[in-house]
Amino acid sequence: MRFFVLLILLLPISASAQNVPKLVPDVSQRQINIQSGFTGAEMLLFGAIIYPRGVAPEGQVDVAVVLRGPMRSVTLREKQKIAGIWVNADSTDFRSVPAYYAIASSRPLNQIVNSKTAAIYELGLDRLQLSPSGEVNATEQRRFVDGLVDLNRRNGLFRQEAGTVEITDQVLYRARLNIPSSVPVGVYTAETLLIRDGRVIVADDNVEVRIRKTGFEQLVTILAQDYALLYGAMAVLVSLLLGWFAGFVFNRL
């Protein structure tokens, strides 16, 4: 008897799950190699929306895609001009700042999701949860957060683009995101969100993208990180040799 009661209770849940669309996302490159002369790259995020019974619902659906870099801790310092000299003044620590964050959507975010949904899924630069620490009042904290976001935006590491996700027949979607030359290395996550009637009905973040250095740049990175003493000694030696060679050349002229 209990089995039949449990089965009846689960039937609505199963029926509801079967009515939820599925996303089949992918990216144009699973790995980006940074070499000498790297000027940036363009990432294509695309995929398909699979509807139950193959029938798209009536009404408009929206798609947002997010490419997010590895999380890191950041200390932001504010400079002030005192007696004609720029010095470090106040500072704030942030515990979870993405090294790169780019979001593209089929329409402006404020038209497809409400503020609560945007905050839950961190949709938009003004909704990033950067986890500032320290005893700073809310006004000062907001000022530092805005400053950090603006700094990364000007460096091309934070991007927000509305109306750049193309949806064909409510089934196929694609978006292009520019990756700057200053992008940090690491593992990135590409997330696709299907939105309808102001709600995120599907969120898929199973696609990973690796950005790494290769060639001479990779060698320098390995030496600097894993063999710091050897790297420092080599840097000093190279500097001395270059100085000696420059002096030798000028003495001959």
Side-chain angles (χ1 to χ4, degrees):
M1 185 66 178
R2 292 181 180 178
F3 172 76
F4 289 108
V5 172
L6 181 61
L7 181 60
I8 293 173
L9 292 175
L10 290 177
L11 280 176
I13 299 176
S14 300
S16 176
Q18 291 176 356
N19 292 327
V20 176
K22 294 183 179 180
L23 289 171
V24 185
D26 207 347
V27 295
S28 57
Q29 297 172 265
R30 294 295 183 104
Q31 181 170 293
I32 297 177
N33 296 325
I34 298 178
Q35 299 176 331
S36 178
F38 178 75
T39 58
E42 184 181 66
M43 177 72 68
L44 174 65
L45 295 88
F46 62 94
I49 308 168
I50 300 177
Y51 297 98
R53 298 181 296 278
V55 179
E58 296 182 359
Q60 187 174 7
V61 295
D62 289 284
V63 171
V65 294
V66 179
L67 183 62
R68 191 191 308 261
M71 309 302 287
R72 58 182 180 176
S73 299
V74 172
T75 299
L76 184 67
R77 292 184 173 87
E78 182 182 40
K79 290 186 177 294
Q80 292 183 358
K81 196 172 185 179
I82 300 177
I85 301 175
W86 288 100
V87 297
N88 291 328
D90 297 333
S91 66
T92 295
D93 296 326
F94 297 88
R95 295 189 297 270
S96 58
V97 180
Y100 175 86
Y101 175 91
I103 180 171
S105 54
S106 52
R107 288 189 294 160
L109 291 173
N110 59 1
Q111 296 181 15
I112 61 178
V113 292
N114 56 36
S115 58
K116 181 179 179 180
T117 302
I120 292 173
Y121 290 92
E122 295 186 73
L123 299 178
L125 298 180
D126 58 337
R127 300 298 178 181
L128 288 177
Q129 299 175 14
L130 306 177
S131 302
S133 61
E135 297 180 359
V136 182
N137 62 53
T139 302
E140 288 294 299
Q141 189 177 94
R142 186 71 255 174
R143 187 166 64 88
F144 273 99
V145 169
D146 292 341
L148 179 62
V149 170
D150 181 64
L151 179 63
N152 281 280
R153 190 207 302 258
R154 285 188 279 113
N155 290 332
L157 296 175
F158 282 5
R159 308 176 65 89
Q160 181 171 329
E161 302 174 1
T164 55
V165 177
E166 301 176 14
I167 305 176
T168 304
D169 297 329
Q170 299 194 58
V171 176
L172 303 177
Y173 68 88
R174 64 176 182 176
R176 298 181 185 274
L177 295 176
N178 292 319
I179 298 176
S181 58
S182 58
V183 63
V185 299
V187 179
Y188 289 61
T189 302
E191 181 180 17
T192 303
L193 302 102
L194 182 63
I195 302 168
R196 187 180 182 215
D197 297 331
R199 297 186 302 109
V200 175
I201 57 178
V202 183
D204 192 302
D205 60 352
N206 292 328
V207 181
E208 289 188 350
V209 178
R210 294 183 179 273
I211 298 180
R212 66 188 187 96
K213 294 182 179 180
T214 59
F216 180 73
E217 286 76 12
Q218 184 184 25
L219 176 62
V220 172
T221 301
I222 293 175
L223 288 175
Q225 293 180 349
D226 300 337
Y227 305 95
L229 184 60
L230 177 61
Y231 177 77
M234 290 178 60
V236 172
L237 179 61
V238 170
S239 299
L240 292 174
L241 289 175
L242 288 176
W244 174 83
F245 180 74
F248 176 78
V249 171
F250 280 113
N251 290 331
R252 288 295 186 118
L253 296 178

